[in-house]
Amino acid sequence: MKRLSRLRRHRAAGPILLVFALFTIGTTFQVASAVSNTTTTAADRSATIEEGKQLFLKGCSSCHGLNAEGGGIAPSLIGVGAASVDFQVGTGRMPMADMSTQAVRKKVVYTPEEINALATYVASLADGPAVPTDAVLNYERDGSVAQGGELFRTNCAMCHNFAAQGGALTQGKYAPTLMGVEPKQIYEAMITGPQSMPVFSDKTITPAEKLSIIKWIKAAEKEPQLGGTALGRVGPVTEGLLVWTLGIGLLIGVAVWLAMKAR
Amino acid sequence: MSNEIELIKDPGLPAHVHRRADDDEKYAKRAETQVSILFLLSAFGTVLTIVSYVFIPTDKFIFIPVMGETNAEQLLLGLGMAIALFCIGAGAIHWAKTLMPDNEVIAERHEFRSEDEDRAEFVKTVKAGASAAGLGRRPLIKRSLGLALGLSGLTPLLLLRDLGPLPKENLQKTSWKAGTRLVTDPGDRPIKPADLEVGAVAQTLPELAPGEERTLNNIGKDAVLLIRLRPEDFNLDAERLSWTHEGIIAFSKICSHMGCAVALYEQQTKHLLCPCHQSTFDVTRAAKVIFGPAARPLPQLAITVDADGYLVAKQPFTEPVGPSFWERSS
């Protein structure tokens, strides 16, 4: 007993323990990510859930709680559904790097298999919106650009800008641009309402209408710049900035030249 | 020390400084070339404009660094016109500054009053003309002309009528009546409370009676935003709470400040933001104004469900929606 106590106070005890702990975490991670992830059978599914749980405990539980029950700094994930996890992790918004205003789109940390495992785990806690399948997302076939435009202007344009370029909200929050966002992620955002965004229920905007909105956004991405440069398509702000700086700057320059004594 | 104020002497004109082109033919020649180059550039700009208008197809796009894919015709039309107009001006200025005479010339001021003889002559001419026209002798012409001129002044007054007609009750009342169903905009589908999850919103309009048409005037005042919260999130008095239904609350979307559509709903803070002037309304406190220039909360629409379970208005709006106007009582 005395010997153990002496060993514990040894100079090298701290570093050795640290190495041991890192080794344990590393190997557990290896074991966890080695698990296969196809969810065809119930056994596979429970294996995926277990893998997702391990990933969750390592990557998410410090904020969202050990049982995804939420905490002072992060919401509960019970009932948010697989679609929510797929959106937040699949766009790199989670894990969050900076807690100040809102989670921003950034480099995705997890592999698609890991995201699937996390989503399956969170979906196993309580029912929630599922990740839309590729069959559902056939917007090219099932959507209508004209209808999508009408829906977009009524439901989305006030935050995301009339050309889906994004816009400002209160206190530094903002609605991000929708240019280059995957159709699946747009769909997931509408059914889950991430962060400041409200939910757009399937009854008030039907799945077919959601596909129309996606088709319109994809059409807007390809919209040519007919008038020279589009200046970010954010309306009078950049146009005004250009006129007030470049245009008036040029006028001032000419005025100074006019009034200069000729040599 | 002397008490006399020393008068500042008139410094006169500054000495005339010769320009380089005034004295040296080499510089004058150079300025001439520069001006001509500017004018030739302008001519090139015009030709560029015409050529791009005639020969470049309207659907031709080219990649320009920084700007991205850009319509070639529009770009070259603009550039051509800019070069053409700017270079004419720049050439003219450069010409005037370098080559045209720049000697200062003094123009003395003269008295404005005309000579007495000229003034007397003018009065005589006017009097002679008036008596020749016979206005004094022919009062009928004088009076009828007065009438014609006077009446012609009424026409512009008459056009003021086009500022009307008065809005009557149109600003006070919307299409919402007790029992009017809330339908989705667009889509016109009635909504059941179960259709909205917590955190969901829906843009709605009043259901049309058969044969009725939706006009922009009506949409402009009837638009209503439905928001579903957890019932415990509300911080409302008993009356306003009875206007909600299972956590669903309905507000006019027309901002009480300038009438913009207020629909930027932040799900986490439960704030509604007007995009025009950043008025912010707290949904949990009956759209109380918490920031911005709006003077009043957004009018709340009392809602309930009908026999078929669809959301309906319990009563019309109790106050006019939208911005203030003269006849508004509050």
Side-chain angles (χ1 to χ4, degrees):
Chain A
M1 207 56 197
K2 222 171 198 168
R3 192 183 144 77
L4 193 70
S5 151
R6 210 151 14 95
L7 268 179
R8 206 173 59 192
R9 295 203 184 118
H10 192 273
R11 258 195 320 175
I16 289 172
L17 262 178
L18 188 68
V19 166
F20 178 72
L22 285 172
F23 178 76
T24 317
I25 290 170
T27 42
T28 324
F29 181 76
Q30 285 297 318
V31 171
S33 41
V35 175
S36 162
N37 46 55
T38 39
T39 53
T40 40
T41 67
D44 278 345
R45 189 175 140 76
S46 61
T48 313
I49 291 174
E50 187 51 35
E51 185 201 342
K53 181 167 188 184
Q54 293 307 319
L55 284 168
F56 182 89
L57 289 176
K58 275 201 284 288
C60 321
S61 61
S62 56
C63 299
H64 287 290
L66 288 172
N67 298 308
E69 75 278 20
I73 51 170
S76 161
L77 299 184
I78 296 165
V80 299
S84 189
V85 178
D86 192 59
F87 176 83
Q88 300 281 2
V89 185
T91 59
R93 285 183 166 81
M94 291 290 151
M96 219 169 165
D98 166 16
M99 306 262 300
S100 53
T101 45
Q102 71 183 46
V104 294
R105 189 184 181 94
K106 57 182 188 296
K107 200 168 169 295
V108 181
V109 177
Y110 292 94
T111 65
E113 292 75 31
E114 287 170 337
I115 295 169
N116 178 41
L118 276 171
T120 314
Y121 165 65
V122 171
S124 74
L125 300 172
D127 278 344
V131 178
T133 59
D134 287 344
V136 172
L137 287 171
N138 198 338
Y139 65 93
E140 284 292 353
R141 187 192 61 195
D142 301 332
S144 142
V145 176
Q147 186 195 33
E150 197 182 344
L151 286 157
F152 189 90
R153 286 190 291 278
T154 321
N155 290 284
C156 322
M158 53 277 199
C159 299
H160 287 286
N161 155 304
F162 53 86
Q165 303 288 328
L169 297 173
T170 60
Q171 315 215 327
K173 296 191 288 293
Y174 63 92
T177 172
L178 303 180
M179 296 294 101
V181 182
E182 274 178 45
K184 183 174 81 163
Q185 291 163 349
I186 300 174
Y187 196 98
E188 286 167 348
M190 287 190 276
I191 56 176
T192 61
Q195 302 184 54
S196 293
M197 181 167 163
V199 179
F200 293 91
S201 314
D202 275 352
K203 289 286 170 46
T204 52
I205 298 182
T206 64
E209 288 177 334
K210 288 189 169 84
L211 293 182
S212 291
I213 291 176
I214 293 173
K215 193 169 182 182
W216 182 86
I217 293 170
K218 291 292 147 193
E221 269 175 12
K222 293 199 277 285
E223 189 68 28
Q225 305 194 29
L226 283 171
T229 172
L231 297 176
R233 293 210 170 100
V234 291
V237 176
T238 46
E239 289 161 16
L241 185 72
L242 191 79
V243 168
W244 280 88
T245 51
L246 271 177
I248 294 187
L250 185 74
L251 288 182
I252 291 173
V254 171
V256 168
W257 179 43
L258 264 172
M260 239 164 32
K261 187 94 185 136
R263 285 193 307 121
Chain B
M1 298 265 303
S2 153
N3 276 347
E4 271 178 61
I5 300 165
E6 218 171 291
L7 290 172
I8 299 169
K9 287 202 187 98
D10 178 5
L13 287 171
H16 179 243
V17 182
H18 279 221
R19 298 167 299 186
R20 279 182 299 194
D22 290 337
D23 302 329
D24 192 337
E25 188 52 30
K26 192 179 78 185
Y27 284 110
K29 197 77 200 158
R30 198 171 74 180
E32 189 188 347
T33 318
Q34 285 166 343
V35 172
S36 319
I37 287 174
L38 281 168
F39 287 154
L40 287 174
L41 261 178
S42 164
F44 164 76
T46 308
V47 172
L48 181 67
T49 310
I50 295 170
V51 166
S52 48
Y53 183 80
V54 175
F55 293 107
I56 300 180
T58 42
D59 54 356
K60 168 93 178 143
F61 284 84
I62 48 173
F63 182 80
I64 307 279
V66 183
M67 287 168 70
E69 285 289 322
T70 307
N71 186 291
E73 188 202 21
Q74 299 291 325
L75 184 74
L76 291 176
L77 272 179
L79 270 179
M81 276 193 259
I83 292 171
L85 294 173
F86 184 83
C87 289
I88 285 190
I93 293 171
H94 195 53
W95 182 14
K97 285 177 71 113
T98 51
L99 294 173
M100 288 186 189
D102 72 336
N103 295 336
E104 288 84 357
V105 176
I106 297 168
E108 298 290 347
R109 283 190 197 162
H110 298 282
E111 220 184 323
F112 283 112
R113 196 175 192 279
S114 305
E115 302 283 328
D116 282 339
E117 294 163 36
D118 293 347
R119 296 165 68 92
E121 186 65 26
F122 175 76
V123 171
K124 219 166 84 186
T125 314
V126 170
K127 280 191 175 151
S131 78
L135 275 186
R137 279 183 294 120
R138 302 191 200 285
L140 186 62
I141 289 183
K142 192 163 89 178
R143 281 172 200 154
S144 55
L145 177 65
L147 179 74
L149 286 176
L151 276 182
S152 72
L154 284 180
T155 316
L157 286 180
L158 191 72
L159 295 180
L160 290 178
R161 177 70 183 81
D162 278 359
L163 294 174
L166 286 174
K168 302 212 175 87
E169 290 223 297
N170 277 330
L171 293 174
Q172 313 272 1
K173 298 234 164 100
T174 65
S175 314
W176 294 100
K177 294 176 188 66
T180 309
R181 274 185 184 167
L182 291 90
V183 295
T184 59
D185 169 31
D188 286 314
R189 294 184 300 272
I191 303 166
K192 285 185 172 167
D195 296 346
L196 296 169
E197 295 96 343
V198 169
V201 296
Q203 324 285 333
T204 64
L205 289 170
E207 188 174 46
L208 291 171
E212 217 179 346
E213 291 252 350
R214 232 187 252 309
T215 65
L216 284 176
N217 274 346
N218 282 340
I219 296 174
K221 59 181 181 175
D222 292 343
V224 159
L225 183 67
L226 278 184
I227 307 170
R228 182 159 203 167
L229 286 70
R230 285 187 185 80
E232 62 266 27
D233 286 336
F234 285 131
N235 187 4
L236 304 169
D237 60 33
E239 190 198 8
R240 288 307 186 94
L241 196 61
S242 72
W243 288 8
T244 68
H245 183 82
E246 294 175 8
I248 303 175
I249 191 164
F251 291 109
S252 164
K253 252 167 80 175
I254 317 303
C255 187
S256 56
H257 174 229
M258 296 287 270
C260 288
V262 185
L264 285 82
Y265 175 60
E266 294 182 4
Q267 198 210 144
Q268 285 172 323
T269 53
K270 298 173 179 62
H271 293 167
L272 261 174
L273 171 68
C274 180
C276 293
H277 305 97
Q278 285 68 51
S279 290
T280 310
F281 305 88
D282 187 348
V283 169
T284 61
R285 288 183 285 167
K288 183 182 150 88
V289 183
I290 53 172
F291 181 80
R296 294 180 301 277
L298 296 171
Q300 186 185 343
L301 182 69
I303 53 169
T304 182
V305 289
D306 63 9
D308 298 328
Y310 290 110
L311 285 168
V312 294
K314 200 187 262 186
Q315 60 189 38
F317 276 112
T318 54
E319 56 178 319
V321 303
S324 302
F325 50 95
W326 275 356
E327 298 86 350
R328 199 182 196 280
S329 46
S330 63

